[in-house]
Amino acid sequence: MSKKEIISLALLVGLLPPVWAVASPYIGNSFGPVALIAAGIYGCNGNKFEDAGKIAAGYLLGDVWALAATLIMRSGLEINPDVLLFAVLFVLGFLAVVISCTFARYIFMPSWLAGWAIGMLAMNLETEIPLMSMTVQIAVSMMVGVFYVGALLDKIHRTINR
């Protein structure tokens, strides 16, 4: 990477993600930093815009998986919590891999698994925000991560360096 490419990338990373970080609470999103994590998977996939849709689909499915796991874990089932956690993670993990591999053209498995982990972490740490609101806010931040912090930043960077 040339010096110009490094400086322009550094400036864009210094500008675009902080705009979201500052704006997100004002639009009612308590999970702004999730966008940075979501952008990481986009970047690790080589900044391939053609994969943005399936990366986004994976994140959304992971978010739904996190909601499902959280609802099951909070359901009050009379089962040892460790056994229940193992069973929930096993079944949902198994299904996520089978489904995403079967539909790999439409779903990016790493973003599904990462989205699931991100969602579960947020849902386990935050207890004041209603679960459905949290699920939507996390999903929005994931989409911001893929399309704004990831894809848009990359497009601007490529344009600047032509």
Side-chain angles (χ1 to χ4, degrees), residues 129-158:
I129 300 171
L131 270 177
M132 288 310 297
S133 175
M134 208 179 324
T135 302
V136 171
Q137 290 180 51
I138 292 167
V140 168
S141 281
M142 289 174 176
M143 296 306 97
V144 167
V146 173
F147 294 108
Y148 171 70
V149 179
L152 180 63
L153 189 147
D154 184 55
K155 290 288 186 194
I156 293 169
H157 185 245
R158 289 175 195 240

Side-chain angles (χ1 to χ4, degrees), residues 16-82:
L16 296 182
V19 167
W20 169 249
V22 170
S24 62
Y26 289 101
I27 61 170
N29 193 309
S30 300
F31 300 95
V34 167
L36 302 177
I37 302 167
I41 295 277
Y42 180 85
C44 285
N45 189 49
N47 292 320
K48 295 183 213 163
F49 185 73
E50 63 273 12
D51 288 347
K54 68 183 195 174
I55 292 170
Y59 278 129
L60 295 175
L61 289 165
D63 196 27
V64 170
W65 246 226
L67 175 62
T70 302
L71 288 172
I72 293 166
M73 294 305 299
R74 292 183 183 178
S75 69
L77 289 172
E78 298 288 328
I79 299 172
N80 177 301
D82 293 332

